[in-house]
Amino acid sequence: MATPTLHVRIISPQQLILDTEAQSVSSKNVQGNFDILPQHANFITLVENSPIVVRLAGQKPISYKFPLAIILNRENHVDIYTYIQPPKV
């Protein structure tokens, strides 16, 4: 049986920055640290100047940091919207 994953996209007006399957997404909002795992409840939040870490199966985690991002999770699809192309952290 296959391990459930999240479909993660990071989208800016300029380009699609990331489009992949992942095991989890982690970051920090005004409430504190959070993790999004497969089967997570629907969720939307703002993330300001905090790393967003995408964990891929069998690979090193990928980390991005944006001045402002909106993270939307629904039915194992995580869309992260931002307005600039960031450097990788």
Side-chain angles (χ1 to χ4, degrees):
M1 184 174 200
T3 303
T5 60
L6 301 167
H7 187 99
V8 179
R9 297 185 312 164
I10 301 177
I11 305 159
S12 76
Q14 296 82 15
Q15 72 182 72
L16 179 63
I17 298 168
L18 181 71
D19 188 358
T20 192
E21 295 297 313
Q23 294 179 320
S24 68
V25 175
S26 302
S27 192
K28 182 178 180 180
N29 60 17
V30 295
Q31 302 287 326
N33 296 331
F34 65 87
D35 299 303
I36 301 172
L37 303 169
Q39 307 302 318
H40 194 285
N42 292 347
F43 178 76
I44 187 168
T45 191
L46 290 174
V47 173
E48 295 183 78
N49 292 312
S50 291
I52 299 170
V53 180
V54 180
R55 288 181 185 76
L56 309 173
Q59 297 180 30
K60 291 177 73 173
I62 303 171
S63 182
Y64 295 91
K65 189 171 181 183
F66 304 101
L68 181 65
I70 299 169
I71 299 179
L72 171 63
N73 172 65
R74 68 194 183 304
E75 299 174 0
N76 290 332
H77 291 269
V78 180
D79 289 330
I80 302 167
Y81 301 99
T82 189
Y83 60 91
I84 62 167
Q85 171 66 37
K88 285 188 178 182
V89 183

